[in-house]
Amino acid sequence: MSNTKALPLLEPAAATPCCPPLTERPFTTEEAETAARMFKALGDPVRLRLFSAVASHEGGEACVCDISDVGVSQPTVSHHQKKLKDAGLLTSERRGTWVCYRVEPSVLAAMGKLLTIAPAAA
């Protein structure tokens, strides 16, 4: 009997962006702080590799044992995963002795919308 459960997926189209597209208008202070937290978390090569490993893993979810081979020690991997979680880019679920990570789809969609070019006013 398995005690694992799938994490719910959010439809990317339903994502509420943290901020408007960069070309739409200047950010407010709050919008800039929110976007900077996400991009700062991804600004480290190890964190970007970990984030990519989770995002590209089958089902968009990976246990720590599946993604820890990024050239740093396990405590360092845990540190970087915590930074990604704190920035809201990953969610995690403990399953027995393992922790499984999932890319937060709504945040990923919101980041994508942030980097799109706003349609020209007609």
Side-chain angles (χ1 to χ4, degrees):
M1 180 170 154
S2 175
N3 64 351
T4 62
K5 63 179 181 175
L7 294 174
L9 291 177
L10 301 175
E11 290 298 319
T16 304
C18 69
C19 318
L22 290 171
T23 57
E24 185 176 298
R25 63 170 172 78
F27 283 174
T28 65
T29 300
E30 183 180 313
E31 290 168 341
E33 288 172 358
T34 300
R37 235 184 340 270
M38 291 187 297
F39 288 111
K40 183 177 180 181
L42 292 175
D44 181 277
V46 172
R47 286 195 286 265
L48 189 55
R49 287 187 67 203
L50 286 168
F51 186 75
S52 174
V54 174
S56 64
H57 201 268
E58 185 178 332
E61 177 182 272
C63 286
V64 69
C65 61
D66 298 325
I67 57 171
S68 59
D69 187 22
V70 291
V72 295
S73 67
Q74 180 53 50
T76 304
V77 168
S78 295
H79 164 78
H80 287 301
Q81 287 172 312
K82 181 180 182 326
K83 294 290 188 181
L84 291 168
K85 279 185 61 178
D86 290 348
L89 298 171
L90 294 179
T91 57
S92 66
E93 180 181 13
R94 180 167 291 283
R95 296 182 187 155
T97 59
W98 296 106
V99 176
C100 292
Y101 292 88
R102 177 175 288 279
V103 170
E104 187 57 50
S106 63
V107 173
L108 192 57
M111 288 179 72
K113 288 180 182 179
L114 171 72
L115 296 174
T116 60
I117 297 175

